[in-house]
Amino acid sequence: MFRLQGSKVLAVDMTGDAVKAKNGSMVAYDGQMAFKKLTGGGEGIRGMVTRRLTGEQMTVMEVKGQGTCWFADRASEINLVHLRGDRLYVESSNLLATDAGLRTGTTFTGLRGASQGNGLFTTTVEGHGQAAIMSDGPAVVLRVSAQYPLTVDPGAYVAHQGNLRQSFQSGVTFRTFLGEGGGEAFQIRFEGDGLVYVQPSERNTIAGDL
């Protein structure tokens, strides 16, 4: 159902089924399609309330019909993630589209969300199906294992999946070594078994001034 055309355009072939996508990300379609704006970014009242509290303003639309839709957003690179009953954690600004059958919601992530200005919650996607996530430049998928924990700059973090634990190391950021850090900053440390998606450029964060 999901396929890439190049690295920056997602094509979704539909035969009466539906897809949920970032509002305004559709660039073309053929066939017969119906569009509906969805409230919030998560399922039910909790999703709407937490979105409002965190101010993430994630607006989602549902596209349903027969034909093909093409999606893109600011020439971002797109990566396809196959979920088989597991859960994907992704920054809301990096989520492009999901199968309609996948459940989306929000989960409390603590310090990292607040320091990035994205609130205290991050978006979750779970179930069986495909999701398309975006990155600023080609994403790198890094494996975390018991022997090899991973430390990530919060501005480069895109998403993660698997049995991973997050913790925060304050006082040092990658920019500090270049003399560009300011105030108390931090890194994200992942331990366990899973995958972490990082992008080769950093989004603007206030991590350096936390």
Side-chain angles (χ1 to χ4, degrees):
M1 182 175 164
F2 282 23
R3 54 188 172 88
L4 294 180
Q5 292 198 207
S7 62
K8 300 179 180 181
V9 178
L10 170 69
V12 181
D13 301 314
M14 287 181 278
T15 56
D17 41 2
V19 62
K20 291 185 288 189
K22 184 176 183 179
N23 196 43
S25 63
M26 188 189 68
V27 294
Y29 73 91
D30 63 23
Q32 298 294 320
M33 298 290 168
F35 306 92
K36 180 171 68 173
K37 182 178 179 181
L38 302 179
T39 305
E43 303 290 354
I45 296 298
R46 181 178 179 275
M48 288 187 280
V49 170
T50 53
R51 293 288 175 200
R52 190 172 297 116
L53 288 176
T54 60
E56 286 185 344
Q57 301 297 320
M58 180 184 177
T59 308
V60 178
M61 63 179 178
E62 181 184 75
V63 184
K64 184 176 183 179
Q66 302 268 355
T68 301
C69 268
W70 289 270
F71 300 92
D73 186 51
R74 292 172 295 180
S76 298
E77 298 281 337
I78 301 171
N79 304 269
L80 298 184
V81 180
H82 297 265
L83 296 177
R84 298 174 178 86
D86 51 331
R87 175 181 288 186
L88 174 72
Y89 298 82
V90 57
E91 293 297 296
S92 62
S93 59
N94 293 97
L95 182 61
L96 177 63
T98 68
D99 284 347
L102 290 174
R103 299 181 301 279
T104 56
T106 52
T107 188
F108 180 75
T109 54
L111 180 64
R112 179 181 58 78
S115 64
Q116 288 185 203
N118 286 343
L120 295 175
F121 296 84
T122 196
T123 298
T124 59
V125 183
E126 58 186 316
H128 293 268
Q130 287 183 292
I133 61 176
M134 299 179 292
S135 58
D136 186 4
V140 177
V141 185
L142 302 175
R143 164 68 67 177
V144 181
S145 66
Q147 295 81 14
Y148 297 99
L150 181 70
T151 303
V152 177
D153 187 293
Y157 169 81
V158 173
H160 74 272
Q161 64 185 129
N163 185 23
L164 293 176
R165 300 180 303 279
Q166 280 181 248
S167 59
F168 309 99
Q169 300 176 326
S170 61
V172 172
T173 185
F174 293 96
R175 288 198 189 97
T176 302
F177 299 108
L178 300 176
E180 297 176 359
E184 183 182 4
F186 71 99
Q187 301 164 344
I188 313 170
R189 182 179 174 87
F190 291 95
E191 297 176 277
D193 182 33
L195 302 174
V196 178
Y197 298 79
V198 297
Q199 59 186 10
S201 63
E202 297 183 19
R203 70 175 69 80
N204 290 327
T205 72
I206 58 170
D209 300 319
L210 183 63

